[in-house]
Amino acid sequence: MEKKERINAAILKILRSQEGYVSGERLSRFFSISRAAVHKRIVSLREAGYELESVTKKGYRFLSYPDVVHAALLLSGVETSYIGKEILSFEELDSTNSYAKKVASECSEGTVVIADAQTKGRGRRGRDFHSAKGEGIFCSVILKPAISPGRAVFMTAIAAAAVSVTLSDLGADTRIKWPNDILLNGKKIAGILTEMSGDIERVDHVIVGIGLNVGNPVFPDELMATASSLKMEGYDFSRQEIFWKLIRNLEEMYEDYLGGDRQRILEILRTRSAVIGKEVFIYTEQEKKSAFVLDIAEDGSLLADIEGEGRKKLNFGEISIREKV
Ligand code: BTN
């Protein structure tokens, strides 16, 4: 991020944290730049859609921000230690996960790549993730945990728990369809795609991609039966508020995990599970199995009673809930 953008982010942070006015002189002293340079930054923010009032002899006052996913705005509301402290924002990308993968080795842990639209948003199993401009949160978090690849599956669990808790805190009661879907009123409103790079012993980095449908008024016909958005379900949350809370929950849970404490995350996964206690079909690469879901195991895998096979733990797969006839 260039210096001007950093100053914009810091100005926004200061103005947003104050009830009243902040003088141009104070800002100029704080950033060690001239008052004219402060004014230039304010003008550039206004041009980007921020409403910043200025009153002679009083200074500047924050009124509102536009519905954008600019790094400067997002940085101004992040309250974490490292996740989201570096943000790379784009109007459009093919896929934030693909971009994050390319830059991960040069980025610090916790860097977030976010785009207002994706032209090739990716889901699990080679599917597309519908990513229309301005309607969702499409972001990828670069994490560098010192763990073996086998434990990286738990990153999806952490992200699913963080998304679910964030939305519930805001008032939308969501369920987690193991391993990576978040449901609201039975429909998918968010998905997680975790990808990693490393060798057999150690993970180099993990990209946790989160796609959340916020303002979509409608979906393509083929998705209408299964997908929904917060707006379609009657919730009017701002993308920025969701992002700030999500990043905070994600960091808290990731820190718990690194510190060896999985209990809170597991409790969230279990109490909010859409599949525990349900008859389901489990699809793996090769087959479709009927099963009854018993629990989420300590390592984040699914514990199920599989027809003809008995109790088993599954690390991956896709689930569809069998409707009772
Ligand atoms: C799924 O539903 O199977 C997972 C969807 C994950 C979508 C997100 S959007 C941000 C990130 N970039 C991608 O290309 N995919 C993930």
Side-chain angles (χ1 to χ4, degrees):
M1 193 185 214
E2 53 174 305
K3 192 173 169 211
K4 284 179 184 165
E5 276 282 283
R6 287 227 164 262
I7 295 181
N8 280 3
I11 290 179
L12 282 175
K13 190 164 192 151
I14 294 172
L15 295 184
R16 287 185 60 228
S17 66
Q18 303 285 317
E19 291 274 305
Y21 296 85
V22 180
S23 71
E25 194 194 325
R26 204 175 125 199
L27 291 172
S28 101
R29 261 189 283 120
F30 188 83
F31 294 110
S32 305
I33 57 176
S34 68
R35 284 180 65 175
V38 168
H39 186 68
K40 246 184 167 172
R41 296 293 89 233
I42 297 281
V43 169
S44 81
L45 285 165
R46 283 191 183 132
E47 280 168 2
Y50 297 86
E51 261 190 281
L52 306 173
E53 186 191 21
S54 65
V55 172
T56 323
K57 296 217 171 95
K58 283 188 172 171
Y60 302 103
R61 187 163 72 106
F62 177 85
L63 296 179
S64 74
Y65 54 78
D67 179 19
V68 291
V69 293
H70 294 159
L73 173 60
L74 297 178
L75 278 171
S76 77
V78 164
E79 290 169 352
T80 46
S81 305
Y82 58 98
I83 297 189
K85 283 294 195 192
E86 286 289 338
I87 297 181
L88 307 173
S89 66
F90 301 86
E91 288 291 307
E92 183 179 286
L93 278 179
D94 54 351
S95 149
T96 56
N97 264 36
S98 304
Y99 187 89
K101 252 197 227 174
K102 277 186 229 147
V103 298
S105 52
E106 303 120 51
C107 291
S108 53
E109 167 153 60
T111 299
V112 173
V113 178
I114 188 162
D116 202 31
Q118 297 184 116
T119 52
K120 283 191 190 133
R122 297 187 285 111
R124 286 170 80 227
R125 305 172 138 239
R127 292 203 193 101
D128 293 337
F129 187 80
H130 182 72
S131 314
K133 183 172 170 48
E135 291 179 353
I137 296 175
F138 315 118
C139 69
S140 301
V141 184
I142 299 169
L143 297 175
K144 304 192 173 183
I147 57 170
S148 62
R151 292 178 63 205
V153 281
F154 206 75
M155 297 299 137
T156 304
I158 293 173
V163 172
S164 179
V165 164
T166 298
L167 295 177
S168 297
D169 286 352
L170 285 163
D173 189 21
T174 55
R175 291 283 164 264
I176 302 169
K177 183 155 88 68
W178 184 92
N180 72 316
D181 287 347
I182 309 299
L183 309 182
L184 180 57
N185 300 330
K187 288 192 170 179
K188 174 165 170 170
I189 53 151
I192 291 144
L193 177 66
T194 305
E195 298 178 292
M196 67 174 179
S197 143
D199 59 34
I200 200 150
E201 283 180 5
R202 211 177 159 87
V203 164
D204 179 42
H205 60 255
V206 180
I207 310 290
V208 180
I210 301 172
L212 176 53
N213 305 327
V214 181
N216 314 60
V218 68
F219 282 90
D221 285 351
E222 65 278 15
L223 295 177
M224 276 306 275
T226 51
S228 192
S229 69
L230 288 165
K231 182 177 180 157
M232 286 162 74
E233 299 303 315
Y235 296 95
D236 186 19
F237 305 147
S238 90
R239 290 191 291 170
Q240 299 74 19
E241 291 294 336
I242 301 172
F243 179 84
W244 291 320
K245 286 192 178 1
L246 173 61
I247 291 298
R248 206 173 57 214
N249 283 320
L250 193 64
E251 183 172 289
E252 263 177 41
M253 291 184 201
Y254 181 58
E255 278 292 298
D256 281 354
Y257 171 74
L258 294 181
D261 178 6
R262 299 181 183 188
Q263 284 323 301
R264 181 173 158 230
I265 302 163
L266 284 168
E267 194 190 311
I268 294 164
L269 296 175
R270 289 170 176 149
T271 54
R272 292 168 180 271
S273 172
V275 297
I276 292 177
K278 296 258 166 70
E279 299 283 349
V280 299
F281 289 122
I282 301 174
Y283 300 84
T284 60
E285 289 297 320
Q286 304 85 8
E287 34 188 5
K288 170 181 170 184
K289 303 170 178 190
S290 297
F292 178 77
V293 179
L294 298 164
D295 201 1
I296 305 290
E298 293 283 311
D299 59 0
S301 61
L302 190 81
L303 194 61
D305 192 357
I306 301 176
E307 208 170 88
E309 297 180 33
R311 243 172 122 99
K312 279 203 168 162
K313 264 168 68 170
L314 293 160
N315 280 321
F316 56 86
E318 170 140 326
I319 292 201
S320 79
I321 299 165
R322 273 192 280 168
E323 299 303 338
K324 289 213 170 69
V325 277

